[in-house]
Amino acid sequence: MVQGNFTDQVYQVVARIPRGKVATYGQIAFFIGTPRSARLVGYALSHTPFFLSLPCHRVVNRLGRTAPGWPEQRLLLESEGVPFRENGTVDLAKCLWHTE
């Protein structure tokens, strides 16, 4: 169970995404009990303080698209072995994170 305000809950979930896996904004929203707040998850992550060192690069949209204007995200994911499809999206079938 995640505790705290919305942003803290988002950060707690993102901190648990393992290397080589990705989660979607909607998935994180669902995990914290607010399934219709995927955009708010994105907003919270876009304002994450650098000092938290969260693996925000492991969060993609529901189609596997990376964040626009952040080309380093793909490089970070590839360095962890995350596979991409020919169309440039993350292959969610192979690396979507499933919690226990």
Side-chain angles (χ1 to χ4, degrees), residues 86-99:
E86 282 189 33
N87 66 2
T89 61
V90 170
D91 190 339
L92 295 176
K94 293 182 179 175
C95 64
L96 186 64
W97 178 46
H98 299 282
T99 63

Side-chain angles (χ1 to χ4, degrees), residues 24-77:
T24 66
Y25 299 103
Q27 189 179 14
I28 293 168
F30 178 81
F31 289 157
I32 65 174
T34 59
R36 299 182 58 84
S37 61
R39 287 183 186 209
L40 288 175
V41 170
Y43 180 81
L45 292 178
S46 72
H47 291 85
T48 302
F50 181 73
F51 66 84
L52 290 179
S53 296
L54 290 176
C56 296
H57 64 283
R58 296 180 186 150
V59 183
V60 297
N61 79 7
R62 65 184 178 87
L63 301 174
R65 291 189 187 129
T66 56
W70 188 21
E72 298 84 8
Q73 183 179 13
R74 180 176 176 139
L75 298 174
L76 289 166
L77 291 172

Side-chain angles (χ1 to χ4, degrees), residues 77-90:
L77 291 172
E78 287 177 330
S79 75
E80 295 184 1
V82 172
F84 282 76
R85 303 175 82 162
E86 282 189 33
N87 66 2
T89 61
V90 170

